[in-house]
C-alpha cells in the first residue's frame, strides 16, 4: 500500500522489531488527503456527535481524548472551536457541500449533514496531529 511507504512501514516480507520514527511533509499530505484518512475523519465526526456530549466544548474534549489520550489545553480547545465555527460558516455559505466533506453516511440522530461536515474538518485536523500519529 503506497501510503505505508510514506510512513516508512516495512514491507510484508520481513519482520521489524522496531521502526524508526520519521515525520515528513508527505505524511501530513497523506493524512489529509488519502481516502482512508478522510473516511476515518468522517467516522470520528459521526462518533463525536453521537457520543461526545451536548456541547461543542465537550465534543472537542471527547475527540481529543479519543485520539491523543489526554484532555486538550484551553488554548487547543479554543483553536479547535474556532475552526469548527469557521468550517460551519464556510459550509453554510456554500464553499463546500456538506455531503462532500461529511460523507454520504446517515448523520447521527438529532444532527445535520452540515454538523457532520464541520466536525469532519475538525477531525481531520485532530487526526493529523503528530501526537495522534506518533504514539509514544
Amino acid at each position: 500500500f503506497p501510503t505505508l511507504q510514506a510512513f516508512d512501514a516495512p514491507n510484508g516480507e520481513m519482520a521489524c522489531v522496531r521502526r524508526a520514527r520519521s515525520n515528513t511533509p508527505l505524511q501530513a499530505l497523506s493524512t489529509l488527503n488519502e481516502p482512508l484518512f478522510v473516511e476515518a475523519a468522517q467516522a470520528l465526526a459521526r462518533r463525536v456527535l453521537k457520543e461526545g456530549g451536548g456541547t461543542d466544548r465537550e465534543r472537542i474534549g471527547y475527540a481529543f481524548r479519543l485520539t491523543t489520550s489526554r484532555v486538550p489545553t484551553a488554548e487547543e480547545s479554543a483553536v479547535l472551536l474556532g475552526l469548527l465555527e469557521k468550517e460551519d460558516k464556510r459550509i453554510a455559505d456554500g464553499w463546500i457541500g456538506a455531503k462532500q466533506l461529511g460523507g454520504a453516511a446517515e448523520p447521527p440522530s438529532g444532527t445535520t449533514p452540515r454538523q457532520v461536515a464541520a466536525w469532519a474538518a475538525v477531525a481531520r485536523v485532530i487526526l493529523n496531529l503528530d501526537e495522534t500519529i506518533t504514539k509514544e
Side-chain angles (χ1 to χ4, degrees):
F1 190 60
T3 302
L4 294 177
Q5 290 177 341
F7 289 91
D8 300 322
N11 64 27
E13 297 172 357
M14 66 179 100
C16 179
V17 177
R18 186 173 193 191
R19 288 181 43 206
R21 180 178 178 200
S22 67
N23 188 356
T24 67
L26 187 55
Q27 291 172 350
L29 287 172
S30 295
T31 59
L32 286 174
N33 297 311
E34 276 291 319
L36 172 73
F37 290 99
V38 172
E39 290 170 6
Q42 293 166 348
L44 178 60
R46 287 190 300 277
R47 181 173 177 188
V48 165
L49 286 168
K50 184 178 178 183
E51 303 171 3
T55 68
D56 288 336
R57 187 167 297 280
E58 289 173 347
R59 291 172 178 158
I60 291 287
Y62 181 73
F64 213 86
R65 280 192 323 273
L66 279 176
T67 56
T68 65
S69 300
R70 70 172 178 86
V71 176
T73 65
E75 183 180 357
E76 290 166 335
S77 290
V79 168
L80 292 171
L81 284 169
L83 175 63
L84 180 65
E85 291 173 16
K86 179 182 172 186
E87 291 301 317
D88 186 56
K89 183 171 177 4
R90 286 182 65 209
I91 296 162
D93 291 345
W95 285 92
I96 189 166
K99 291 281 188 184
Q100 184 180 1
L101 186 58
E106 191 68 28
S109 178
T111 64
T112 64
R114 185 170 128 193
Q115 286 176 297
V116 175
W119 274 99
V122 172
R124 288 176 74 186
V125 169
I126 294 172
L127 289 173
N128 197 40
L129 295 172
D130 182 59
E131 188 174 356
T132 303
I133 297 166
T134 309
K135 301 281 185 186
E136 291 187 28

